[in-house]
Amino acid sequence: MSVFELDDHSRTIIHIDLDCFYAQVEMNKNPNFRSVPLGIQQKNIVVTSNYKAREFGIKKCMLIAEAKKLCPNLVLANGEDLHDYRQTSYKVTNLLQKYSHLVERLGLDENFVDVTALINEKLKKSSDVEVVGNISGDSSEKCDCGCTERLTMGTVIAQEIRDLIKNDLNLTTCAGIAHNKLLAKIVGSRHKPDQQTVVFPNSALELMLSLDCLTNIPGIGRTTFEQLESVGIKTIEDLQNGGVKKLEPLLGADKARIIHNFSYGIDKSQVKPTGKPQSIGLEDSCKSISVEKEVRNKLEQLLNRLLLLVAEDGRIPKTIKLTVRKFNKENKVSHRETRQSNINPSLFSNQSANKTKIMTTIMHLFNRIIDVKKPYHITLLGLSFTKFQEPPNLKNSVASFLRRDLEVQSVISIESQNGVDEPESPVPSTSSVELKDVESPSPSPSPKKLKLSNLVTKKRCFEDYYEDCESPSKLKVADLCLESVSCPPDADQDVFKELPLEMQKELWEDYKRRRSAEMNLCSSQVKKPKPNTLLNYFIRNN
Ligand code: TTP
Ligand code: MG
């Protein structure tokens, strides 16, 4: 079988590399640097330079003395404190995560984004797009698997991504678009700076053969290069012709196969997400809005887009945050205010989110920032979800059963400590003050402080949530449950029946304690919960 028959074109990967990264960060901090050749100094080395300096022949990792000889007017900025670079780097990754949850960071200034899902969505609506940017090789010969259309759409998305990074962070980038990571990375560096290049599978081999040196293949460093050289493998063709068998004694079976595939432009490695974002949000600046209906429309649009991103992310948000930028016409100053609120996870069921209820919460937050009876001018609206919980994909596992009950149990436990009632609606229950927010924290009680009677509601919320997750362990517990425990009168019989025996006992004990406290009106005589119960174990681990 030919090596190409093993290739899979179904994915679309975008590799994003920031242009002269450290230099761009410094130029954003000090715009005077834009008009001069700038080198970034670490010790006695120029680790990078802006493109003006590169015109003088300055290269990365050149000695300062050598660089100064080439360009006596070279301005140097100290780049030893990485803080700002790191911060900017994460901002870029956060922006990319708006396009896919499959974003893999590579160092500080490179990211792979797997946009396959987004492209398949977009192609359902329209495939009438043209390539944006450069094409590597000849694109006239088309593959009939659909990769031409996918990669073409990939170029449109890459441009969108690069525009977003430029607009939001004032950073230019290069992008490579291909059906795998290897080709995306290699092809992205073909046209620099501030450009993008796509390679279609039929030009992959040509691209690989055009590499000057084996070390241009990611994964072949100096050591591997020397190992290969020692057996006469010096070029890409040598690598291809040598075959896996010749490489195995040198590199081991796995690496040999990978490197051999690489030489043909084949790379099966996945984009491995580098941690999930702490928040998923969108902002939209606008011409002054002064009417509540317009605000609502704008926020609804944002929410619709945001829910798609959240669905793609897969986690369930627990908090929503609204950002409003207000413009003060008198002193011509804008400032941002944010408010946030907890939201009930049950609003995000398997199929769709309850937009109406989420909008109610959002408008409630809005009315806490803006007094709509007075004139106002809004120039930006933003929504973001934060604090996530993992999705309920623990179907048929013991964990799913425990997890459901975990939620119920912590509710009971907290109630028994606080005894505070609270509605289960998603109306704001906490208020966080950020930036110039001047509101004092809301006096509303925390959503955790639910009464035992809310156990049922809470439990049901979770059942909507876990919809068809029938747990075999649950059935077993029910089947084996020969011993029966009374159901507290303030708990739902049906829900109670489903709980494992241990938990039923805990609930009954809890009910007895509360009853006893009520009867005696003397909390000091109430038996305290045992410290090492199953219940406490789960609560501690929540
Ligand atoms: P690169 O992406 O290699 O370089 P770059 O972004 O500056 O330039 P290009 O336009 O060619 O992509 O590296 C990213 C940053 O990493 C770079 O700005 C400085 C830093 N760096 C080092 O600290 N040491 C090094 O040896 C290199 C190569 C880069
Ligand atoms: Mg770079």
Side-chain angles (χ1 to χ4, degrees), residues 64-103:
I64 299 282
E66 203 182 332
K68 278 280 189 190
K69 264 190 217 156
L70 288 171
C71 176
N73 294 331
L74 183 71
V75 175
L76 293 170
N78 189 298
E80 283 167 13
D81 180 354
L82 300 187
H83 175 265
D84 292 347
Y85 310 140
R86 213 173 275 131
Q87 227 181 19
T88 307
S89 167
Y90 278 101
K91 281 185 188 164
V92 172
T93 304
N94 276 345
L95 285 184
L96 299 177
Q97 283 164 336
K98 293 184 178 185
Y99 288 83
S100 169
H101 67 281
L102 295 174
V103 177

Side-chain angles (χ1 to χ4, degrees), residues 17-24 40 42 45 47-49 51 54 60-61 79 82 108-110 174 192-193:
D17 185 340
L18 288 144
D19 296 324
C20 57
F21 180 40
Y22 291 6
Q24 281 208 82
I40 305 301
Q42 284 180 356
I45 280 173
V47 283
T48 193
S49 61
Y51 276 77
R54 291 188 199 187
K60 293 172 202 169
C61 298
L82 300 187
L108 282 188
D109 87 327
E110 294 177 46
C174 281
K192 291 168 80 168

Side-chain angles (χ1 to χ4, degrees), residues 256-309:
R257 189 178 31 81
I258 289 169
I259 297 284
H260 187 250
N261 277 344
F262 274 11
S263 68
Y264 289 96
I266 294 169
D267 174 17
K268 294 178 183 152
S269 67
Q270 301 296 311
V271 173
K272 298 170 206 79
T274 323
K276 293 219 173 184
Q278 307 216 326
S279 79
I280 300 176
L282 290 170
E283 284 185 351
D284 216 349
S285 51
C286 44
K287 285 202 181 131
S288 176
I289 299 182
S290 314
V291 184
E292 194 173 353
K293 192 166 168 245
E294 272 185 59
V295 170
R296 176 181 280 275
N297 284 345
K298 192 109 200 138
L299 287 171
E300 267 170 0
Q301 285 169 15
L302 277 176
L303 179 63
N304 284 339
R305 283 164 58 203
L306 195 55
L307 288 174
L308 289 178
L309 293 176

Side-chain angles (χ1 to χ4, degrees), residues 14 54 70 77 135 186 327 540-542:
I14 299 176
R54 291 188 199 187
L70 288 171
I135 303 174
I186 291 174
F327 180 67
R540 266 205 300 277
N541 287 284
N542 189 3

